[in-house]
Amino acid sequence: MRSFLAVFSAALILGATAGSAPAGASGASPPSCPRGLLFCEDFERLPPGGPSTLNWGVDTRHGTLTVERARRGNQVLHVHTVDNGRAFLRVDDFAAPGNRFYGRMRLRVDAFPTAPDWAHFTLVEATGTGSAEVVRPVGGQYAPTVPGTFWGVGADGGPTGDWTNWRESAPVAEDTWQCFEWKMDAADNRVSVWINGVANPELTASTSDHGGNDVPFVLPTVDTVKIGWQLYQGGTTPGEFDLWIDDIALSSKRLGC
């Protein structure tokens, strides 16, 4: 049913969304909601303010989601949390053919954590049946030993344990719009990530190559995808976090940026 609603909604708004881009983006962009997607949200048809839609749910604790107008006139989702709060857009009843799908979102993060040490955050989380792994294809961690804050694929809740395989080759960028893509493929339990259209081969995980315990990493049959922000440790610097998200899409094919 969710796939049907996403396709129907995309057909209604296709003409209005061509060329929509977040504030600060440059160049022409493909339509944010082309036909045939598993899920799509560009926020253009939602009223400003708190979320008002039947197409997705909300998961918050010490956090809020607000639809607001960006500088270039398009609408975006403003995610705000306090300390170690969370605020997620939640896609339920999700189903991808063969348990293989791509995701895409554009985002701007005002500031990343610099305390406490090893502060760990997640922007995308996927869960489902058949495996207890809570998969986090887009997340990261503050590493005081470098020091710096870096993107990393991670997971929790399953046999591989709680891990974030952050990489110095993928430093975060504050206060700038970026396009993130990810792929989850049950064929080899692989997670892959692209940033601004460029693959980062170090931001991957697979059955035998991941950052957790020395046991196989097995993807769940994904039925829920959450997109937003969560930080897991208290006493953070800064004490509040703000990010803006646009052009969310889940698809059986890669969409590109």
Side-chain angles (χ1 to χ4, degrees):
M1 176 63 73
R2 180 165 299 280
S3 295
F4 170 78
L5 289 173
V7 173
F8 179 69
S9 175
L12 287 176
I13 64 177
L14 179 61
T17 59
S20 175
S26 62
S29 299
S32 57
C33 284
R35 296 177 185 273
L37 300 186
L38 301 172
F39 174 82
C40 188
E41 180 61 85
D42 65 2
F43 308 102
E44 293 303 320
R45 293 182 63 86
L46 299 183
S52 179
T53 178
L54 298 178
N55 290 335
W56 45 271
V58 172
D59 178 6
T60 61
R61 177 184 177 275
H62 303 311
T64 59
L65 300 176
T66 307
V67 176
E68 63 183 38
R69 187 74 59 182
R71 290 191 296 272
R72 288 188 57 174
N74 59 302
Q75 294 200 149
V76 298
L77 184 67
H78 181 186
V79 181
H80 175 79
T81 63
V82 177
D83 198 43
N84 62 334
R86 69 174 183 267
F88 285 112
L89 174 158
R90 180 176 173 128
V91 183
D92 293 306
D93 302 323
F94 178 75
N99 198 30
R100 175 182 181 272
F101 70 96
Y102 294 81
R104 184 202 66 200
M105 65 177 175
R106 309 183 202 278
L107 76 147
R108 177 169 68 89
V109 181
D110 182 53
F112 289 89
T114 57
D117 288 353
W118 309 108
H120 170 209
F121 53 90
T122 295
L123 286 83
V124 178
E125 182 177 281
T127 54
T129 60
S131 172
E133 300 283 5
V134 179
V135 184
R136 296 160 175 166
V138 182
Q141 195 160 27
Y142 170 65
T145 53
V146 178
T149 306
F150 307 95
W151 297 111
V153 174
D156 194 9
T160 59
D162 181 6
W163 53 275
T164 301
N165 199 12
W166 55 269
R167 296 292 185 172
E168 289 187 50
S169 62
V172 301
E174 296 184 344
D175 198 27
T176 185
W177 281 99
Q178 295 182 290
C179 178
F180 275 74
E181 301 171 84
W182 65 94
K183 177 186 178 183
M184 295 178 59
D185 190 347
D188 57 355
N189 299 295
R190 183 169 297 275
V191 180
S192 307
V193 176
W194 295 257
I195 302 176
N196 294 329
V198 179
N200 191 318
E202 290 193 320
L203 293 179
T204 60
S206 64
T207 306
S208 58
D209 186 9
H210 54 79
N213 300 325
D214 189 17
V215 296
F217 176 56
V218 178
L219 296 178
T221 300
V222 177
D223 58 24
T224 302
V225 179
K226 299 197 298 184
I227 299 172
W229 176 272
Q230 181 169 6
L231 201 150
Y232 303 95
Q233 295 81 24
T236 60
T237 301
E240 301 183 4
F241 297 91
D242 290 278
L243 58 151
W244 293 262
I245 299 176
D246 198 8
D247 297 337
I248 297 171
L250 304 174
S251 174
S252 58
K253 298 180 180 180
R254 186 182 169 199
L255 296 171
C257 291

